[in-house]
Amino acid sequence: MRDRTVLHIEDNEYNRKIVRQLLSRTSYRLLEAADGEEGVAVAQRELPDLILMDVQLPKLSGLDATRMLRADPRTAKIPLVVVTSFALSGDDRRAIDAGASAYLAKPYSPRDLMALIHRFLPEN
Amino acid sequence: MLNAILGFTEIMLDELYGEVPPNLREPLVDIQTNGRHLLRLINDVLDLSKIEAGRLELGVDEYSVQEIVDVVHTSLKSLAIEKGLAFSVWVAPDIPTARGDGRRITQCLMNLAGNALKFTRQGRVEIDVRLDDGWLTYRVTDTGIGIPKEEVENIFAEFRQVDTTITREYGGTGLGLSITKRLVELHGGRIGVESELGKGSRFFFTLPLRTDGGVA
């Protein structure tokens, strides 16, 4: 069985670095995309086991990208966590409405993010 | 940006980059403490500017008063235990499902109860909620330091902690009470305080049991 793959769609290099570091000591394979369009393309090509989607992305917003992936039968069932910017702005509800499996508000605790990844995708 | 500051600090402290030398642990925790404080300040300033601009919209829905009180109690219990304070809650048994922005009302009660615990060195903090004639009254009573008479009327104004040493000793952004007041008013309610220096304070706010939001 191949290592389970996580796709991280996030335009901020520092936030990508955090997830890279978090997953570096695990068996997960990590893919990255820096904007919404690229994220959708990589998801459709690689069919990852879990998607982490930032809400504010260039080219295609995280919510629109989520809706596109949900509309595509190949990616419709992949667990998808939307990372929202501010807990209070109502993004969490919009994320669930767009089809997210769960949301996590920034600034998140890396521990909480790791727990969420493990919940949707137990390590091999 | 704060996500990166707080995130890198946490994964360093969790030793994902390897063992943390003992002399670096304290400054890393200091970064974390101050980062979290900055986050609270940013959130408060954002809230207040949204309110000032008339851009803050209530997310009105059905909510349970008991649930709000339980959330606040659970979140703050450890602080009470740490300080050796009794911390109790009581909700009148006859309260039906309420309507309003449960999340914002939680924020209000959290602000008041958090302040009460912060400014009480010994004794107790109590939260109680009752319903009279369609109006809910949330009260937070403490045996804390109290507020001088001449300061009571200013206590809900922005950046109005009683003096600057308070900010240093007790932390906080100085915005919590004014945000709470505005959120209560957005629900068509009002807020008040009774206090005696050295004896304690009682903050309370009254809201319609069911509201879709009023004009602040």
Side-chain angles (χ1 to χ4, degrees):
Chain A
M1 196 172 169
R2 77 180 168 113
D3 281 339
R4 305 198 159 191
T5 302
V6 176
L7 169 59
H8 188 206
I9 310 172
E10 158 70 86
D11 60 323
N12 182 302
E13 160 64 14
Y14 297 105
N15 292 333
R16 286 204 304 271
K17 222 163 150 180
I18 287 176
V19 172
R20 215 177 290 152
Q21 186 64 35
L22 270 176
L23 296 190
S24 68
R25 297 193 167 187
T26 68
S27 62
Y28 297 115
R29 173 172 161 247
L30 177 66
L31 300 172
E32 296 180 353
D35 66 62
E37 276 177 18
E38 189 194 348
V40 169
V42 174
Q44 287 169 334
R45 191 177 66 232
E46 301 282 338
L47 304 178
D49 301 291
L50 176 71
I51 298 170
L52 304 175
M53 175 85 77
D54 190 54
V55 78
Q56 277 180 310
L57 291 170
K59 294 188 185 169
L60 183 66
S61 83
L63 294 181
D64 286 338
T66 299
R67 277 185 277 267
M68 283 182 69
L69 292 174
R70 284 313 185 224
D72 181 336
R74 290 170 301 165
T75 53
K77 293 270 158 33
I78 299 175
L80 187 154
V81 176
V82 168
V83 179
T84 59
S85 282
F86 279 103
L88 291 173
S89 67
D91 273 351
D92 41 6
R93 180 169 289 182
R94 281 193 283 272
I96 298 299
D97 288 346
S101 319
Y103 62 87
L104 183 67
K106 263 189 203 165
Y108 55 76
S109 153
R111 262 174 244 165
D112 293 345
L113 178 64
M114 211 52 229
L116 207 52
I117 293 173
H118 276 130
R119 197 177 90 199
F120 285 104
L121 196 63
E123 263 185 270
N124 282 342
Chain B
M1 279 165 277
L2 264 174
N3 195 63
I5 294 171
L6 290 169
F8 282 119
T9 310
E10 186 181 306
I11 59 181
M12 276 193 269
L13 282 166
D14 282 353
E15 307 200 316
L16 263 79
Y17 290 100
E19 202 180 319
V20 176
N23 60 321
L24 287 189
R25 187 158 281 274
E26 190 178 323
L28 282 172
V29 171
D30 290 344
I31 294 173
Q32 194 172 44
T33 306
N34 284 279
R36 285 179 181 156
H37 189 211
L38 183 59
L39 172 65
R40 275 197 297 278
L41 183 61
I42 290 170
N43 283 338
D44 279 0
V45 169
L46 277 176
D47 273 355
L48 207 58
S49 54
K50 267 188 256 170
I51 293 170
E52 296 286 345
R55 287 275 172 82
L56 190 126
E57 283 173 28
L58 295 179
V60 173
D61 207 341
E62 309 282 304
Y63 71 90
S64 147
V65 172
Q66 183 74 53
E67 241 174 72
I68 284 185
V69 171
D70 288 345
V71 165
V72 172
H73 189 225
T74 308
S75 318
L76 296 175
K77 211 162 28 184
S78 59
L79 176 61
I81 292 169
E82 214 173 279
K83 297 187 70 175
L85 301 171
F87 181 30
S88 59
V89 299
W90 181 83
V91 178
D94 58 343
I95 300 180
T97 303
R99 187 171 175 79
D101 187 336
R103 192 169 199 162
R104 291 299 190 177
I105 296 167
T106 306
Q107 184 182 356
C108 291
L109 194 61
M110 194 84 82
N111 275 338
L112 296 187
N115 277 350
L117 289 166
K118 204 153 57 173
F119 294 112
T120 302
R121 286 198 190 94
Q122 50 184 342
R124 58 179 201 283
V125 170
E126 289 166 7
I127 297 176
D128 65 76
V129 189
R130 57 195 72 230
L131 175 68
D132 291 295
D133 274 343
W135 288 80
L136 285 169
T137 303
Y138 292 76
R139 298 196 305 181
V140 178
T141 310
D142 68 53
T143 56
I145 58 174
I147 305 156
K149 261 204 177 62
E150 62 276 16
E151 290 292 340
V152 168
E153 58 186 291
N154 289 324
I155 200 81
F156 296 107
E158 290 83 22
F159 297 110
R160 204 50 101 99
Q161 288 182 329
V162 169
D163 64 59
T164 50
T165 57
I166 287 199
T167 318
R168 237 172 290 135
E169 188 181 344
Y170 296 94
T173 61
L175 294 172
L177 279 179
S178 50
I179 290 169
T180 301
K181 177 172 189 276
R182 306 294 286 269
L183 290 174
V184 165
E185 288 168 351
L186 272 171
H187 278 89
R190 44 179 289 277
I191 193 168
V193 58
E194 297 156 0
S195 187
E196 201 175 327
L197 202 56
K199 291 257 173 80
S201 305
R202 168 176 289 157
F203 282 83
F204 53 90
F205 59 88
T206 301
L207 308 173
L209 174 66
R210 301 185 65 80
T211 177
D212 287 318
V215 180

